[in-house]
Amino acid sequence: MTRSPLAAALLAALVTATPALAQSNTLRQDIDFAREKVYPALVNIAVVVKQFGGGRSQRGLGAGSGVIVSPAGHVLTNFHVAGHTTRITCTLPSGERLRAEVLAHDPLTDLSVLKLDLGARSSTTPLPFATLGKSADLRVGDYVLAMGNPMGLSSSLTLGVVANTARVFTNFAGTEMEEMDLGEGEVTGLFTRWLQHDALILPGNSGGPLVNLRGEVVGINELGGGGMGFAIPSDLASKILNQVLTLGEVRRGWLGFSVVPLSHEEKLTGALVSSVIPGSPAAEAGLEPGDVLSMINTGEVSVRFLEQVPALYQQVAELVPGQDVELLVERRGPEGWSKHTLKTKVTQMEPFLGDQVEAAGGVTVREITGPMALVRRYPDTKGVLITGMRPGKSFEEAKPPIQSSDVILKVGKHAIDGIASFKAALKAHAGQEAVVTYRRGQELLMTVVDLEEDEPKQQGGELRKAWLGVKTQVLTTPLAEALGLKGIKGFRVTQVLPTTEAEKAGLKAGDVITAVDGEPLEAYRLRDARELKVAIEDLPIGEDVALTIVPAGTTTKKDVQVKLQESPATATDVKVAHNDYFEVAVRELTFMDRVRYQWSPEQAGVLVTEATNGSWAQVAGLRVNDLLVEVNGVELKTAADFEAAMETIEKERPEVVRMFVRRRHRTQFVFIEPEWEEPAPTTPTSGE
């Protein structure tokens, strides 16, 4: 059969496209398979973060991703997602929400291991979980899927290829590794050779799984940008997970040296020792900068490129703390290279940052670790490091002043060797002045801190005076002429406040007041705005005053009798209340509050005047100027009602504090979920 040229061309194109189409269908099937294996085990992580600033602990909200990696509910995510948190909630793609607890953090790899609270599950279906694959099997060009929750949104999936299987970050010259700073000097990446890929990664994807087309988790995504994504290899994550499940923590051996590649030495194997930490096991063994380390016990060392450095550090980390170790080194001398066997004992690697707490006197302090003391050149780890001071509180007002980054060594005669002894010393000097000894750089300084309890703030306002109950503006000369009132001076009423004697007397917006008790008002300039107020305040409260007015829309004057009221209470006159735990302050309503927000005289509630940044209340969404109407079903009418309700809450310690508020023209529920430091006291039942 003879075909036309067009038909022949179409047939040829179809034959050519068939392999590509088949390949496309295969990729589609592989993606579907991998998605079904891992996507159900993806979790959207919402956290309440505990931070420190201004001498106090603060809370904030955060979000990230994670993946369930065991039927028991173990979750892998990033430390920068789950670290420094007080609450973690995981939401599965199915919509199921579960609380999670931290089993261990490991900042050095930016990994955290969580455990879901399966006892709270309402679902009877088995918990989905993903399998950890071998990242060492990945090749450049392999397809991978990045799963996570970008920008805090619901679960998503993107496709990319592996660009590099052993990425390390270096300086511009390529001579030194650069680690990623997690804040306050804590770094990550010492043991990591990242998987680089181009699957889209956005904020919120952190901690989510990188998945191969066999449906295995081959990495934990950590960061991305500029079309590049970086993931922690699953082989490294598996080691961390196994240690946590076996030991309950991450333990690493430490010798105290660092290396660079041998690229500028004639030696072909080994690693060039670049530094040795004083007092470390390596220093005690006699290791020196310039040595070429060729063997650790029976394990050979080979570092010719920066990409090989993390593997050496991991080799040291896998040594068991307390075990004996031999280092085979070559050392250059006047007569050439000589071999030496150095012996020492492995110690356990310390974390860089110590615990941080808020203490009495409006100060936050941090425990000093060995690595921190080394970096900051402290002589030892004694004392506590000041990280912040609260304005107006005891430590901030010390004389002479203390500064952040000072190290407190003594309070009175109490020597400070850590947080526990610092808190005990403050308690021993409560209500007193204390001499505080501290170190700043190499100086040893002293100051006096007054640890007396804060004096309660005194309330008060101006004396009450006669009040008319209207708002006015000066009847300026141009305005008078425009209204056809040329030559008239006084005040134009702009608002008659509701329920006032002025409203009862019939005053209206637009009326012009020209005289008070027969005394003409001479106001015609903006600077005369106080004349009417002064004239009224000089009169007795409760008596009638004769106002001469020009009613709105007319030019004829008439007299109106208005009974003078006492000026309403202001914000400084009404009672206030403050709750320290939730860091919320409220005050009772004033007459002008009701006018401003158009609330009826019957409207109950107290006005929120403070919801401290980082407090439980602020994190939950309570705002300044919210009208707090109810707390856990208790109606609030006075500051005393608020104090009683919050006292009950702190005693009973419910999981959720339910607040009902008015916010301008709308009502709103605010749910606060505090983390109580201790369990609530129980009330014994009969027979106990």
Side-chain angles (χ1 to χ4, degrees):
M1 182 174 64
T2 304
R3 295 185 177 90
S4 69
L6 176 61
L10 290 173
L11 180 60
L14 179 62
V15 171
T16 303
T18 298
L21 184 62
Q23 184 179 8
S24 175
N25 288 335
T26 301
L27 177 60
R28 176 71 263 178
Q29 293 169 359
D30 289 343
I31 292 173
D32 289 345
F33 175 79
R35 182 195 62 215
E36 295 307 311
K37 291 278 287 183
V38 179
Y39 189 80
L42 177 66
V43 291
N44 186 343
I45 299 178
V47 299
V48 176
V49 182
K50 188 173 184 179
Q51 304 162 322
F52 293 87
R56 54 182 292 274
S57 60
Q58 303 177 12
R59 296 166 184 85
L61 300 178
S65 306
V67 59
I68 306 171
V69 291
S70 80
H74 295 101
V75 174
L76 280 174
T77 186
N78 286 149
F79 170 77
H80 78 259
V81 170
H84 310 301
T85 57
T86 61
R87 180 186 299 119
I88 302 174
T89 304
C90 295
T91 304
L92 279 65
S94 64
E96 186 176 5
R97 297 181 66 196
L98 295 169
R99 287 283 184 90
E101 64 172 333
V102 174
L103 294 188
H105 291 311
D106 186 37
L108 287 171
T109 58
D110 197 21
L111 287 171
S112 290
V113 180
L114 314 178
K115 175 71 166 59
L116 297 176
D117 180 7
L118 301 186
R121 288 196 79 197
S122 57
S123 174
T124 57
T125 60
L127 185 74
F129 68 96
T131 302
L132 290 173
K134 293 184 178 180
S135 54
D137 293 342
L138 282 175
R139 299 173 301 170
V140 172
D142 283 353
Y143 283 111
V144 284
L145 306 174
M147 300 183 187
N149 305 281
M151 313 305 289
L153 302 175
S154 56
S155 310
S156 72
L157 178 154
T158 54
L159 173 68
V161 298
V162 175
N164 191 302
T165 58
R167 172 65 66 205
V168 296
F169 300 117
T170 68
N171 60 5
F172 186 76
T175 58
E176 185 179 0
M177 283 180 56
E178 290 187 342
E179 297 174 283
M180 188 163 48
D181 191 346
L182 296 176
E184 300 183 276
E186 191 154 49
V187 296
T188 190
L190 188 68
F191 306 105
T192 308
R193 294 192 295 182
W194 279 275
L195 303 173
Q196 181 183 335
H197 60 86
D198 64 0
L200 182 63
I201 296 292
L202 294 170
N205 277 107
S206 294
L210 187 70
V211 182
N212 64 19
L213 295 188
R214 292 193 296 274
E216 299 168 331
V217 176
V218 290
I220 301 298
N221 285 309
E222 183 170 11
L223 70 157
M228 295 182 289
F230 299 92
I232 302 159
S234 60
D235 292 349
L236 180 57
S238 294
K239 291 178 181 178
I240 300 302
L241 177 63
N242 289 336
Q243 273 211 357
V244 171
L245 297 184
T246 304
L247 306 174
E249 62 179 356
V250 180
R251 295 179 189 172
R252 291 189 174 92
W254 184 73
L255 294 176
F257 66 85
S258 59
V259 301
V260 294
L262 277 172
S263 53
H264 297 286
E265 297 288 341
E266 62 266 28
K267 294 290 182 181
L268 297 178
T269 61
L272 180 63
V273 177
S274 59
S275 69
V276 179
I277 295 175
S280 67
E284 292 175 358
L287 190 68
E288 298 176 1
D291 287 349
V292 173
L293 177 65
S294 57
M295 189 170 291
I296 300 176
N297 285 339
T298 58
E300 293 186 353
V301 173
S302 180
V303 179
R304 293 196 59 80
F305 307 99
L306 282 174
E307 287 80 2
Q308 295 173 298
V309 171
L312 172 58
Y313 291 155
Q314 183 63 31
Q315 183 180 345
V316 174
E318 290 174 356
L319 297 173
V320 178
Q323 80 174 89
D324 294 326
V325 64
E326 289 187 353
L327 307 177
L328 180 61
V329 303
E330 294 184 66
R331 182 171 296 163
R332 191 199 303 266
E335 299 179 0
W337 292 90
S338 58
K339 293 186 178 182
H340 302 267
T341 300
L342 310 178
K343 297 183 179 182
T344 189
K345 192 178 291 289
V346 181
T347 61
Q348 184 163 329
M349 179 178 284
E350 284 187 74
F352 179 80
L353 290 181
D355 291 337
Q356 186 174 194
V357 299
E358 179 181 354
V363 66
T364 53
V365 296
R366 185 185 291 281
E367 201 96 41
I368 298 173
T369 65
M372 186 191 300
L374 179 69
V375 169
R376 291 174 175 261
R377 297 179 180 272
Y378 295 160
D380 49 47
T381 60
K382 294 180 179 179
V384 289
L385 176 71
I386 296 180
T387 57
M389 292 175 290
R390 201 164 180 173
K393 296 293 185 177
S394 300
F395 276 85
E396 197 266 342
E397 293 189 340
K399 296 178 179 57
I402 298 178
Q403 300 175 6
S404 291
S405 295
D406 288 345
V407 175
I408 298 178
L409 301 174
K410 291 177 70 176
V411 177
K413 295 183 179 180
H414 293 74
I416 308 302
D417 56 14
I419 287 174
S421 61
F422 178 63
K423 286 187 171 182
L426 293 181
K427 186 175 181 180
H429 290 84
Q432 308 170 17
E433 286 188 344
V435 175
V436 174
T437 305
Y438 60 100
R439 186 176 61 239
R440 179 181 298 162
Q442 297 182 24
E443 294 183 88
L444 196 62
L445 304 170
M446 301 179 79
T447 188
V448 176
V449 176
D450 185 355
L451 294 169
E452 293 280 353
E453 293 291 333
D454 293 336
E455 292 291 332
K457 294 181 179 180
Q458 297 296 320
Q459 298 182 38
E462 296 182 359
L463 294 175
R464 301 294 181 81
K465 298 178 181 179
W467 180 68
L468 191 56
V470 297
K471 292 186 177 182
T472 63
Q473 66 178 130
V474 174
L475 185 70
T476 61
T477 299
L479 182 58
E481 291 177 355
L483 294 175
L485 300 174
K486 186 176 181 179
I488 299 294
K489 299 177 181 179
F491 292 82
R492 179 178 177 273
V493 176
T494 58
Q495 182 182 7
V496 180
L497 301 178
T499 72
T500 61
E501 294 295 328
E503 184 182 55
K504 294 176 184 177
L507 283 179
K508 306 289 185 184
D511 292 348
V512 176
I513 303 173
T514 63
V516 176
D517 277 343
E519 289 291 330
L521 297 171
E522 298 296 332
Y524 66 94
R525 301 163 299 186
L526 293 178
R527 67 187 185 187
D528 300 327
R530 286 185 51 82
E531 184 184 0
L532 177 61
K533 184 174 185 292
V534 171
I536 294 297
E537 288 179 345
D538 286 341
L539 300 175
I541 297 172
E543 293 191 4
D544 288 347
V545 63
L547 300 180
T548 302
I549 70 170
V550 178
T554 73
T555 58
T556 305
K557 295 181 179 180
K558 75 172 188 176
D559 288 340
V560 176
Q561 296 289 322
V562 180
K563 185 177 181 180
L564 295 179
Q565 297 176 247
E566 182 180 63
S567 58
T570 66
T572 58
D573 297 320
V574 296
K575 293 182 179 179
V576 300
H578 186 275
N579 180 266
D580 290 332
Y581 186 81
F582 291 94
E583 298 181 89
V584 176
V586 302
R587 65 168 172 81
E588 295 177 354
L589 289 177
T590 67
F591 173 82
M592 293 308 299
D593 291 331
R594 298 182 186 278
V595 171
R596 182 181 303 112
Y597 297 110
Q598 300 181 33
W599 293 328
S600 70
E602 294 76 29
Q603 175 65 62
V606 289
L607 198 69
V608 176
T609 57
E610 179 185 347
T612 304
N613 187 38
S615 64
W616 284 116
Q618 186 267 339
V619 166
L622 194 67
R623 302 178 187 173
V624 171
N625 291 329
D626 280 351
L627 180 65
L628 185 52
V629 180
E630 290 182 4
V631 175
N632 279 6
V634 177
E635 187 179 57
L636 307 180
K637 294 183 178 180
T638 65
D641 292 341
F642 172 81
E643 289 176 334
M646 300 310 291
E647 185 178 341
T648 299
I649 285 170
E650 290 193 51
K651 182 179 179 180
E652 297 178 351
R653 301 185 176 186
E655 291 186 7
V656 179
V657 179
R658 180 177 181 267
M659 293 184 170
F660 182 60
V661 303
R662 290 190 67 97
R663 185 172 293 162
R664 295 188 179 275
H665 64 287
R666 302 175 63 180
T667 56
Q668 179 79 29
F669 285 102
V670 174
F671 298 97
I672 304 178
E673 301 178 73
E675 293 288 341
W676 302 107
E677 294 182 359
E678 298 176 0
T682 56
T683 303
T685 59
S686 58
E688 294 184 337

